[in-house]
Amino acid sequence: MAGRREIPLEEVPGIGPARAKKLEKLGLRRLSDLLDYFPARYEDRRAIYTVQEAPEGEACCISALIAQSPVLSRIRKGLELVKVQAVDGTGVLHLTFFNQPYLKNTLRPGETYVFFGRVEVLGRRRSMTNPVFEREGTGQFTGRILPVYPLTAGINNRMICELAQRAVNLYAPSRTETIPEPVRLAHRLCQVEFAYQNIHFPKDFEALELARRRMIFEELLVLTCGMAQLKERRGLGDGRVLDQGGVEQFEGLLPFAPTGAQRRAMEDMARDLASGRVMNRLIQGDVGSGKTAVAAFGAWMCAQNGCQCALMAPTELLAEQHARTMEALLFPAGVRVSLLTGSVKGAARKALLSAVRAGEVDVVVGTHALFSQGVEYANLGLVIADEQHRFGVAQRAALAAKGATPGAPSQMGRRGSGEGQQTASSSPEQALPDPTVQTHVLVMSATPIPRTLALIIYGDLDVSVIDELPPGRTPVATYVVGEDKRQRLYGFVRRQVSEGRQVYIICPAVDETQALPQWGETAAPPLDLKAVTTYAKDLQEKVFPDLRVGLVHGKLKAREKEAVMAAFAAGELDVLVATTVVEVGVDVPNASLIIIENAERFGLSQLHQLRGRVGRGAHQSYCVLVTASKSDTARERLRALCATNDGFRIAEEDLRLRGPGDFFGKRQHGLPQLKVADFASDVALLREAKEAAEALVAADPELTKPEHAPLRRRIREMYEAEPEIFN
Ligand code: ADP
Ligand code: MG
């Protein structure tokens, strides 16, 4: 904050330590923090009515004169009322205040105030209860557009408004302009001072719109500049040359012939790896398209060229599965594969870490534990991240940085929590990877994302698309059924099992409060509150006493989960009851039926992912969506899944039905947190900002020109403030 002293909120008159603590919960520590604490919404309090004309039942402002001394009455302990009448030329307004006895002396007879509240009308009597008020002419909480801020217990909007006003007065005029002047003019953006003033205390709604537009643009510019720099810098990085081996030689290790799309993806990789430039590639392919084999190619290439590969999965379950697959594929070629997750502990962990450090392991498969403290690679050549929507841009950046400095302390530890202050050990440029990074990065994703967004979210990557499924796959036949079909469904499960197949049954969550269908002799409606544990037990005891039923859910210990999954994969279980832990990537080709209970509770894209657990082998596979919902929209939504097996079309339908808020609500993209912008609704500005960013970075790659210094600083802050790096 150029030129102005920082003021801790504690030192602001009227705050003190207790309130300062509460404000800290909102992330507010210094007065200047209020500048970037934006209102959640605005209340238009501009219109001031007469008592007579004030609209009934709506919150509005009335200007009126206190006509008498307020009367305080104690109804009982803990209930005190102050009553007073206010008048204007048109009528009388009866005011009542609860438990604010001091108002008796605050409201002065003969003074005119503006009251803001909801007008109640009873016969001819007009009244307000607990209105906000201030002397006429003050114009702080009435007669204007009032910002409404996100609050926390013990902190009211009035307090934040007052702090924000102080902050705007003190800091907005000297706030440095982040957006370079030519960019600001070219995109018709207002100046920084105007923007801060009007995003907090808008003069009118046009001014607010101008302010918002600028703030959104600024945020997106900072974001996309960071991305452009990432791409630019990585492009500069000399890549380790991995040119021994090749697609043809690798194919011999596969138990199947790769599809054309898989081969293309591998060839893209082979070209990148041999190019002398560092690879940053995304493999995008629908569930079941065979991304794992492509990953195995990368791992094998590393081994052929005497370096290590780290393969990172989002869950332990998947890491374990990948480790098994890699081992099976690559062991015959003499490649040494190890598994490193949080559950590998004690002596085993120590031994594994020293083997990794000594280069005695070629492929390390694991979760984010792969990059935790104390893990050092002898010679890391390639990092592969599976199901990358669980990993963010910042994580990718951090990953790549890991390879730059083998043996050096991790750069991925948590940083000072968004203080924007530099510690001695983190130089400005470290939030983005060093240009000399040599670790290749491959990310794999099955999450279909609409095109414009993909451009941003994967803006730092080259993309290979696997747009072809392995041969012999018939699409998964999908049905929506109600409770009335439950008995037939049992029969169907039995038939599949008697043919040697296996069955998944997915329940929404492990939570006692969730309703699950009740199993029993009769098909009872799903009224009972049951946990998945009870559900599985009943299923085993009452419905399928002769079948082998297993249960896996997120609250099991990793060991237990692993044991159940391994048993299912080995064909030792016929039916696996599971929560969504099997959503991503789990591969058991012999499973041919997946039943999803309470299907209406899932998003379409999630259902599509779940459905991808079957149809992975040669057998005709089925997905049955069970719902007790009678709602037409719920059923129509589910039927969209019956109509297509195309993940992209389903994602678009999902987006259309649920709206962008839900689709991107959970920060699936993993980009740094945005304060004002919204990826789905600000697409046009996003495109403008991206173009501006690319032009800026092309002309001044490191943004070292003096006029770019504020922008550079903001980029650093944004990417550093990403708190979820390896969590
Ligand atoms: P995903 O892209 O969802 O990660 P997987 O890599 O798990 O898909 O592959 C799904 C299944 O298809 C696995 O059982 C795998 O062995 C099989 N598979 C992959 N590629 C081929 C292929 N070219 N021919 C036959 N089967 C294949
Ligand atoms: Mg997979």
Side-chain angles (χ1 to χ4, degrees), residues 256-259 262 285-293 387 470-471 473 585 587 589 616:
F256 42 69
T259 62
Q262 279 171 318
D286 209 345
V287 283
S289 60
K291 293 183 289 294
T292 316
E387 307 300 349
R473 298 274 173 86
D587 183 37
R616 303 174 80 85

mmCIF file of all heavy atoms in Angstrom, residues 256-259 262 285-293 387 470-471 473 585 587 589 616, ligand 1:
data_model
loop_
_atom_site.group_PDB
_atom_site.id
_atom_site.type_symbol
_atom_site.label_atom_id
_atom_site.label_comp_id
_atom_site.label_asym_id
_atom_site.label_seq_id
_atom_site.Cartn_x
_atom_site.Cartn_y
_atom_site.Cartn_z
ATOM 1 N N PHE A 256 -2.830 -55.447 -25.010
ATOM 2 C CA PHE A 256 -3.769 -55.154 -26.106
ATOM 3 C C PHE A 256 -3.097 -54.208 -27.090
ATOM 4 O O PHE A 256 -2.075 -53.601 -26.771
ATOM 5 C CB PHE A 256 -5.051 -54.517 -25.567
ATOM 6 C CG PHE A 256 -4.804 -53.480 -24.491
ATOM 7 C CD1 PHE A 256 -4.205 -52.263 -24.804
ATOM 8 C CD2 PHE A 256 -5.160 -53.733 -23.167
ATOM 9 C CE1 PHE A 256 -3.978 -51.312 -23.824
ATOM 10 C CE2 PHE A 256 -4.922 -52.777 -22.175
ATOM 11 C CZ PHE A 256 -4.329 -51.570 -22.501
ATOM 12 N N ALA A 257 -3.657 -54.096 -28.276
ATOM 13 C CA ALA A 257 -3.152 -53.100 -29.213
ATOM 14 C C ALA A 257 -3.760 -51.757 -28.848
ATOM 15 O O ALA A 257 -4.964 -51.673 -28.625
ATOM 16 C CB ALA A 257 -3.553 -53.480 -30.639
ATOM 17 N N PRO A 258 -2.943 -50.700 -28.761
ATOM 18 C CA PRO A 258 -3.517 -49.404 -28.396
ATOM 19 C C PRO A 258 -4.472 -48.906 -29.481
ATOM 20 O O PRO A 258 -4.331 -49.256 -30.650
ATOM 21 C CB PRO A 258 -2.295 -48.491 -28.285
ATOM 22 C CG PRO A 258 -1.207 -49.170 -29.024
ATOM 23 C CD PRO A 258 -1.498 -50.644 -28.975
ATOM 24 N N THR A 259 -5.424 -48.117 -29.064
ATOM 25 C CA THR A 259 -6.311 -47.499 -30.052
ATOM 26 C C THR A 259 -5.520 -46.422 -30.788
ATOM 27 O O THR A 259 -4.458 -45.989 -30.334
ATOM 28 C CB THR A 259 -7.509 -46.824 -29.374
ATOM 29 O OG1 THR A 259 -7.023 -45.779 -28.515
ATOM 30 C CG2 THR A 259 -8.319 -47.811 -28.554
ATOM 31 N N GLN A 262 -4.970 -43.511 -28.513
ATOM 32 C CA GLN A 262 -3.923 -43.745 -27.507
ATOM 33 C C GLN A 262 -2.546 -43.612 -28.149
ATOM 34 O O GLN A 262 -1.639 -43.015 -27.580
ATOM 35 C CB GLN A 262 -4.062 -45.153 -26.911
ATOM 36 C CG GLN A 262 -5.120 -45.261 -25.828
ATOM 37 C CD GLN A 262 -5.350 -46.725 -25.431
ATOM 38 O OE1 GLN A 262 -5.416 -47.615 -26.277
ATOM 39 N NE2 GLN A 262 -5.486 -46.957 -24.139
ATOM 40 N N GLY A 285 -9.393 -37.479 -21.882
ATOM 41 C CA GLY A 285 -10.112 -38.602 -22.476
ATOM 42 C C GLY A 285 -11.207 -39.044 -21.537
ATOM 43 O O GLY A 285 -11.022 -39.057 -20.325
ATOM 44 N N ASP A 286 -12.315 -39.394 -22.114
ATOM 45 C CA ASP A 286 -13.474 -39.794 -21.332
ATOM 46 C C ASP A 286 -13.134 -41.016 -20.465
ATOM 47 O O ASP A 286 -12.139 -41.694 -20.705
ATOM 48 C CB ASP A 286 -14.625 -40.127 -22.295
ATOM 49 C CG ASP A 286 -15.983 -39.860 -21.647
ATOM 50 O OD1 ASP A 286 -16.033 -39.701 -20.413
ATOM 51 O OD2 ASP A 286 -16.982 -39.813 -22.385
ATOM 52 N N VAL A 287 -13.985 -41.280 -19.491
ATOM 53 C CA VAL A 287 -13.749 -42.449 -18.651
ATOM 54 C C VAL A 287 -13.661 -43.700 -19.516
ATOM 55 O O VAL A 287 -14.434 -43.879 -20.443
ATOM 56 C CB VAL A 287 -14.881 -42.656 -17.608
ATOM 57 C CG1 VAL A 287 -14.726 -41.680 -16.469
ATOM 58 C CG2 VAL A 287 -16.243 -42.507 -18.244
ATOM 59 N N GLY A 288 -12.715 -44.535 -19.208
ATOM 60 C CA GLY A 288 -12.577 -45.798 -19.921
ATOM 61 C C GLY A 288 -11.834 -45.700 -21.244
ATOM 62 O O GLY A 288 -11.716 -46.677 -21.968
ATOM 63 N N SER A 289 -11.326 -44.519 -21.588
ATOM 64 C CA SER A 289 -10.670 -44.371 -22.886
ATOM 65 C C SER A 289 -9.242 -44.915 -22.860
ATOM 66 O O SER A 289 -8.596 -45.009 -23.897
ATOM 67 C CB SER A 289 -10.689 -42.909 -23.331
ATOM 68 O OG SER A 289 -10.012 -42.096 -22.405
ATOM 69 N N GLY A 290 -8.765 -45.270 -21.678
ATOM 70 C CA GLY A 290 -7.456 -45.928 -21.606
ATOM 71 C C GLY A 290 -6.294 -44.978 -21.372
ATOM 72 O O GLY A 290 -5.238 -45.106 -21.993
ATOM 73 N N LYS A 291 -6.470 -44.059 -20.455
ATOM 74 C CA LYS A 291 -5.402 -43.090 -20.164
ATOM 75 C C LYS A 291 -4.240 -43.740 -19.413
ATOM 76 O O LYS A 291 -3.102 -43.309 -19.523
ATOM 77 C CB LYS A 291 -5.970 -41.923 -19.337
ATOM 78 C CG LYS A 291 -6.958 -41.078 -20.140
ATOM 79 C CD LYS A 291 -7.469 -39.889 -19.349
ATOM 80 C CE LYS A 291 -8.406 -40.275 -18.227
ATOM 81 N NZ LYS A 291 -9.685 -40.863 -18.700
ATOM 82 N N THR A 292 -4.555 -44.786 -18.657
ATOM 83 C CA THR A 292 -3.508 -45.390 -17.830
ATOM 84 C C THR A 292 -2.369 -45.953 -18.679
ATOM 85 O O THR A 292 -1.197 -45.820 -18.320
ATOM 86 C CB THR A 292 -4.105 -46.515 -16.953
ATOM 87 O OG1 THR A 292 -5.333 -46.042 -16.407
ATOM 88 C CG2 THR A 292 -3.173 -46.879 -15.829
ATOM 89 N N ALA A 293 -2.721 -46.551 -19.794
ATOM 90 C CA ALA A 293 -1.689 -47.120 -20.661
ATOM 91 C C ALA A 293 -0.772 -46.018 -21.183
ATOM 92 O O ALA A 293 0.447 -46.211 -21.329
ATOM 93 C CB ALA A 293 -2.340 -47.870 -21.827
ATOM 94 N N GLU A 387 -6.267 -37.683 -13.109
ATOM 95 C CA GLU A 387 -7.519 -37.029 -12.701
ATOM 96 C C GLU A 387 -7.241 -35.626 -12.223
ATOM 97 O O GLU A 387 -7.506 -35.251 -11.102
ATOM 98 C CB GLU A 387 -8.215 -37.850 -11.614
ATOM 99 C CG GLU A 387 -8.427 -39.297 -11.994
ATOM 100 C CD GLU A 387 -9.293 -39.483 -13.237
ATOM 101 O OE1 GLU A 387 -9.911 -38.496 -13.705
ATOM 102 O OE2 GLU A 387 -9.347 -40.615 -13.743
ATOM 103 N N PRO A 470 -11.548 -48.059 -26.492
ATOM 104 C CA PRO A 470 -11.000 -49.340 -26.939
ATOM 105 C C PRO A 470 -12.074 -50.153 -27.652
ATOM 106 O O PRO A 470 -13.260 -50.019 -27.340
ATOM 107 C CB PRO A 470 -10.568 -50.018 -25.644
ATOM 108 C CG PRO A 470 -10.304 -48.906 -24.701
ATOM 109 C CD PRO A 470 -11.273 -47.833 -25.063
ATOM 110 N N PRO A 471 -11.656 -50.991 -28.609
ATOM 111 C CA PRO A 471 -12.629 -51.711 -29.428
ATOM 112 C C PRO A 471 -13.427 -52.722 -28.605
ATOM 113 O O PRO A 471 -12.997 -53.133 -27.536
ATOM 114 C CB PRO A 471 -11.750 -52.442 -30.449
ATOM 115 C CG PRO A 471 -10.405 -52.540 -29.799
ATOM 116 C CD PRO A 471 -10.279 -51.320 -28.939
ATOM 117 N N ARG A 473 -16.132 -52.348 -27.129
ATOM 118 C CA ARG A 473 -16.975 -51.804 -26.073
ATOM 119 C C ARG A 473 -18.361 -51.542 -26.630
ATOM 120 O O ARG A 473 -18.512 -50.865 -27.628
ATOM 121 C CB ARG A 473 -16.444 -50.452 -25.580
ATOM 122 C CG ARG A 473 -15.087 -50.506 -24.982
ATOM 123 C CD ARG A 473 -15.172 -50.863 -23.516
ATOM 124 N NE ARG A 473 -13.832 -51.076 -22.984
ATOM 125 C CZ ARG A 473 -13.082 -50.101 -22.527
ATOM 126 N NH1 ARG A 473 -13.538 -48.881 -22.503
ATOM 127 N NH2 ARG A 473 -11.875 -50.346 -22.089
ATOM 128 N N GLY A 585 -11.816 -43.372 -11.567
ATOM 129 C CA GLY A 585 -10.722 -44.207 -12.023
ATOM 130 C C GLY A 585 -10.634 -45.667 -11.628
ATOM 131 O O GLY A 585 -9.852 -46.393 -12.198
ATOM 132 N N ASP A 587 -10.785 -49.458 -11.612
ATOM 133 C CA ASP A 587 -10.883 -50.282 -12.813
ATOM 134 C C ASP A 587 -11.011 -51.774 -12.497
ATOM 135 O O ASP A 587 -10.055 -52.420 -12.105
ATOM 136 C CB ASP A 587 -9.631 -50.049 -13.678
ATOM 137 C CG ASP A 587 -9.702 -50.817 -14.983
ATOM 138 O OD1 ASP A 587 -10.813 -50.908 -15.551
ATOM 139 O OD2 ASP A 587 -8.662 -51.315 -15.438
ATOM 140 N N PRO A 589 -12.540 -54.646 -14.767
ATOM 141 C CA PRO A 589 -13.217 -54.915 -16.042
ATOM 142 C C PRO A 589 -14.331 -55.963 -15.954
ATOM 143 O O PRO A 589 -15.238 -55.956 -16.788
ATOM 144 C CB PRO A 589 -12.085 -55.414 -16.945
ATOM 145 C CG PRO A 589 -10.834 -54.892 -16.324
ATOM 146 C CD PRO A 589 -11.094 -54.816 -14.851
ATOM 147 N N ARG A 616 -15.979 -51.642 -18.949
ATOM 148 C CA ARG A 616 -14.539 -51.544 -19.144
ATOM 149 C C ARG A 616 -13.971 -52.837 -19.714
ATOM 150 O O ARG A 616 -12.793 -52.914 -20.039
ATOM 151 C CB ARG A 616 -13.850 -51.189 -17.826
ATOM 152 C CG ARG A 616 -14.392 -49.901 -17.236
ATOM 153 C CD ARG A 616 -13.825 -49.624 -15.866
ATOM 154 N NE ARG A 616 -12.491 -49.039 -15.919
ATOM 155 C CZ ARG A 616 -12.250 -47.747 -16.065
ATOM 156 N NH1 ARG A 616 -13.243 -46.899 -16.189
ATOM 157 N NH2 ARG A 616 -11.021 -47.294 -16.093
HETATM 158 P P1 ADP B 1 -9.331 -44.314 -18.038
HETATM 159 O O1 ADP B 1 -9.070 -43.508 -19.251
HETATM 160 O O2 ADP B 1 -10.719 -44.122 -17.513
HETATM 161 O O3 ADP B 1 -8.276 -44.115 -16.992
HETATM 162 P P2 ADP B 1 -8.266 -46.976 -18.082
HETATM 163 O O4 ADP B 1 -6.885 -46.603 -18.447
HETATM 164 O O5 ADP B 1 -8.526 -47.344 -16.671
HETATM 165 O O6 ADP B 1 -9.266 -45.832 -18.514
HETATM 166 O O7 ADP B 1 -8.714 -48.141 -19.072
HETATM 167 C C1 ADP B 1 -9.978 -48.738 -19.004
HETATM 168 C C2 ADP B 1 -9.923 -50.223 -19.317
HETATM 169 O O8 ADP B 1 -9.700 -50.395 -20.691
HETATM 170 C C3 ADP B 1 -8.813 -50.942 -18.606
HETATM 171 O O9 ADP B 1 -9.300 -52.171 -18.177
HETATM 172 C C4 ADP B 1 -7.752 -51.114 -19.672
HETATM 173 O O10 ADP B 1 -6.959 -52.241 -19.459
HETATM 174 C C5 ADP B 1 -8.597 -51.246 -20.916
HETATM 175 N N1 ADP B 1 -7.923 -50.778 -22.138
HETATM 176 C C6 ADP B 1 -7.231 -49.638 -22.270
HETATM 177 N N2 ADP B 1 -6.796 -49.482 -23.528
HETATM 178 C C7 ADP B 1 -7.235 -50.553 -24.208
HETATM 179 C C8 ADP B 1 -7.107 -50.984 -25.574
HETATM 180 N N3 ADP B 1 -6.449 -50.261 -26.468
HETATM 181 N N4 ADP B 1 -7.691 -52.138 -25.911
HETATM 182 C C9 ADP B 1 -8.359 -52.867 -25.018
HETATM 183 N N5 ADP B 1 -8.519 -52.540 -23.734
HETATM 184 C C10 ADP B 1 -7.964 -51.378 -23.323
#
